[in-house]
Amino acid sequence: MTTMNKKLLFVCFFVYFSLSIGNLFAQCYPHKMASRCKDTLDVYDFDYDSQIYNQIDFEADPSTIQVAFTARAGFRYILVFTNSGFDENVHIVIYDRGIRAAGKRTIYDNAVDNSTSVKITKPGCYYVYYLVPPKGGCKWDNGCEMMVVGFRNVSQTTREAIH
């Protein structure tokens, strides 16, 4: 194999690998996605706590992704949702117990509540479910769904209500 053929083979491999990696990480830009959500935190006067993002793969069959969130006593929380810009409608539901538990309450359902955020006022473990639809007319095979967590001390909330 000549030197020119080796270089050409290397360039082809490099280009293929670069394109594969770009699709592998689902077009996720966590810092950009989180900055969009932080604006909502500022509007409601919550401090930024953390972010959780999950890769969403659009396949022939629907799928479910579960994320657990624990709210501590003495704080109020806001959960803000965003995605990486895909067209598919991922259904987000939050329960106060696991999806199979008897007597669970729905805390948030984006099919009913059209907002992109939910306030959590009681301590406990909450379960966030991303119900991923089958691949439809979306141009992406995958994407990211992000949940940004904001918090505020309950004593600050009480003080604000008094003043």
Side-chain angles (χ1 to χ4, degrees):
M1 189 176 251
T2 67
T3 305
M4 182 61 131
N5 288 343
K6 287 180 184 178
K7 288 180 182 178
L8 183 60
L9 183 63
F10 176 76
V11 168
C12 289
F13 176 74
F14 180 75
V15 168
Y16 174 77
F17 183 73
S18 297
L19 292 175
S20 297
I21 290 296
N23 196 30
L24 180 67
F25 291 111
Q27 313 301 325
C28 291
Y29 302 100
H31 296 297
K32 289 181 183 178
M33 292 170 64
S35 67
R36 289 193 307 243
C37 294
K38 287 179 184 177
D39 293 340
T40 303
L41 297 181
D42 292 340
V43 167
Y44 292 108
D45 198 29
F46 279 79
D47 294 324
Y48 170 77
D49 182 39
S50 60
Q51 64 193 30
I52 301 126
Y53 65 97
N54 297 88
Q55 179 172 331
I56 305 288
D57 293 315
F58 299 107
E59 299 171 348
D61 296 324
S63 61
T64 302
I65 297 172
Q66 175 184 328
V67 177
F69 168 73
T70 303
R72 297 183 323 163
F75 293 94
R76 297 196 189 279
Y77 294 89
I78 187 168
L79 309 178
V80 184
F81 298 96
T82 189
N83 67 39
S84 57
F86 50 79
D87 300 331
E88 300 293 346
N89 186 20
V90 174
H91 187 186
I92 303 169
V93 183
I94 301 176
Y95 297 110
D96 62 346
R97 297 183 184 153
I99 199 166
R100 292 186 179 94
K104 67 182 178 296
R105 281 186 324 121
T106 302
I107 305 300
Y108 170 80
D109 185 341
N110 72 339
V112 176
D113 183 359
N114 203 17
S115 71
T116 57
S117 64
V118 59
K119 292 181 182 176
I120 305 289
T121 58
K122 295 182 180 177
C125 193
Y126 296 90
Y127 298 89
V128 180
Y129 290 91
Y130 298 113
L131 307 173
V132 182
K135 182 168 173 57
C138 184
K139 62 183 176 181
W140 303 107
D141 291 329
N142 51 32
C144 284
E145 190 72 43
M146 177 178 279
M147 176 176 75
V148 172
V149 180
F151 74 99
R152 179 172 36 187
N153 192 312
V154 172
S155 63
Q156 291 173 338
T157 305
T158 307
R159 213 176 320 129
E160 289 172 5
I162 294 170
H163 295 301

